[in-house]
Amino acid sequence: MKLMPTLQIKNICKSFGGVRAVNRCSFELVDKKITALIGPNGAGKTTLFNVVNGFIPADEGKIFFREEDVTDFTVWQRSRLGMSRTFQLSRLFKNLTIKENLILALRQDDDLFWRAFLKRGEGSELNKKIVEGMGFVGLKKNPETSVKDLSYGEQKLFDLTRALLNPHSLLLLDEPVSGVNPVLREKLKEIMRHLKEKGETVLLIEHDIDFVRSVADWIVVMDQGRVLKEGLPEKIFKDPEVLEVYLGPTE
Ligand SMILES: Nc1ncnc2c1ncn2[C@@H]1O[C@H](COP(=O)(O)OP(=O)(O)OP(=O)(O)O)[C@@H](O)[C@H]1O
Ligand SMILES: [Mg+2]
């Protein structure tokens, strides 16, 4: 029996003025696997993410999520179907606390949201969920802390907590380890392994090759808006074309 792909990206094109950011890009995401989307700066990775989650419309092409055509769906509709994402540059409500931000991250038709709203969340199931989420990523902070008082690395962990708490069947992570120190990078590796054990389906954009090599089951390499290669990590990182795109032409 053929496994149903979680996500199908079909011939997506997206231009900004004269810049073809994504150019007939197609690939599929396998269920319960971590797929890494890699490629040089400006390859179109973030633009593709934005098209996948509905943040910007595609000029051409289709997105299927669990076999449903979601191409014309809004971000909100896709989120309700189970797409959850982090951002390359965190979009957080910096003057709100961790807890307030996490409450906002939960879907507003979620019972927990309304119970928290009516009871102000004290001792509620929502508190439990927030503490569990923060515990899972190892964010050791009081939930009443303002997000603006978190360090850069803590904000990354917080952004991940937010994406995880949003009920989902697909996680889209844009550069979760960029700019973090080696200790936090190791911790994020551990978190990714736990996500894999939990059977999460993840699409991960990441430049850190060591990180990608140790967590990804499948690699898709993007260059100039389209898929250059895809395959198992051990094969991709030996591929001369991929190496050339990353390191420049070799003699
Ligand atoms: N809103 C925009 N307006 C104009 N051009 C844009 C816009 N967003 C992206 N681009 C251009 O589209 C191309 C792809 O950008 P994108 O951010 O998708 O690349 P990326 O692969 O995510 O790069 P990086 O690894 O540096 O994050 C780049 O040339 C970029 O300048
Ligand atoms: Mg990017």
Side-chain angles (χ1 to χ4, degrees):
M1 192 180 74
K2 191 178 178 297
L3 281 177
M4 178 182 86
T6 302
L7 184 74
Q8 291 165 287
I9 294 166
K10 294 192 171 180
N11 267 315
I12 293 295
C13 297
K14 180 72 195 178
S15 296
F16 300 102
V19 179
R20 273 201 164 234
V22 180
N23 188 8
R24 293 199 298 276
C25 183
S26 301
F27 65 94
E28 292 187 352
L29 218 65
V30 178
D31 210 17
K32 299 187 194 304
K33 298 277 181 216
I34 296 182
T35 303
L37 182 60
I38 67 168
N41 293 116
K45 306 178 297 294
T46 299
T47 305
L48 184 67
F49 253 43
N50 287 336
V51 167
V52 166
N53 95 312
F55 202 58
I56 55 173
D59 297 335
E60 280 176 52
K62 296 235 171 259
I63 303 289
F64 289 83
F65 182 44
R66 299 157 84 202
E67 294 195 322
E68 183 166 4
D69 183 351
V70 297
T71 314
D72 297 323
F73 286 20
T74 62
V75 173
W76 165 245
Q77 286 171 314
R78 295 180 208 206
S79 168
R80 279 177 60 102
L81 286 176
M83 275 193 202
S84 193
R85 77 170 282 185
T86 62
F87 289 89
Q88 188 172 6
L89 299 169
S90 292
R91 286 154 190 265
L92 312 170
F93 296 101
K94 301 224 165 158
N95 287 316
L96 298 185
T97 66
I98 292 178
K99 184 170 157 186
E100 287 162 342
N101 265 283
L102 293 179
I103 290 173
L104 287 173
L106 289 167
R107 289 210 301 252
Q108 299 188 9
D109 59 350
D110 192 309
D111 281 356
L112 285 179
F113 173 86
W114 289 108
R115 262 183 254 154
F117 185 74
L118 297 170
K119 286 204 264 169
R120 316 214 103 239
E122 295 314 319
S124 67
E125 267 174 76
L126 182 112
N127 267 351
K128 210 172 125 212
K129 207 167 166 180
I130 287 174
V131 169
E132 270 172 20
M134 289 171 67
F136 182 78
V137 305
L139 180 58
K140 295 187 184 77
K141 280 284 169 185
N142 185 326
E144 304 298 339
T145 311
S146 270
V147 167
K148 67 175 167 15
D149 296 331
L150 297 178
S151 72
Y152 179 78
E154 287 166 346
Q155 286 193 16
K156 301 278 279 192
L157 286 177
F158 166 73
D159 200 16
L160 185 58
T161 312
R162 195 177 55 157
L164 287 170
L165 279 186
N166 185 18
H168 61 272
S169 48
L170 170 63
L171 267 179
L172 300 164
L173 309 180
D174 196 352
E175 299 199 24
V177 298
S178 74
V180 307
N181 70 38
V183 176
L184 185 50
R185 188 171 51 212
E186 287 310 305
K187 187 162 151 183
L188 282 160
K189 266 187 202 167
E190 209 44 48
I191 293 170
M192 297 301 294
R193 290 194 191 107
H194 285 146
L195 290 177
K196 195 154 35 182
E197 280 162 22
K198 277 173 71 185
E200 297 254 10
T201 308
V202 179
L203 180 59
L204 162 83
I205 297 180
E206 190 46 67
H207 282 292
D208 183 327
I209 297 300
D210 164 63
F211 186 83
V212 167
R213 205 195 288 271
S214 59
V215 303
D217 300 298
W218 191 254
I219 314 258
V220 177
V221 186
M222 245 181 119
D223 184 37
Q224 298 181 37
R226 63 204 312 176
V227 174
L228 175 73
K229 284 274 159 83
E230 58 177 310
L232 294 167
E234 55 269 28
K235 216 168 154 200
I236 285 294
F237 292 119
K238 281 191 201 133
D239 187 294
E241 261 188 279
V242 174
L243 295 177
E244 182 169 327
V245 160
Y246 264 99
L247 307 172
T250 45
E251 295 303 314

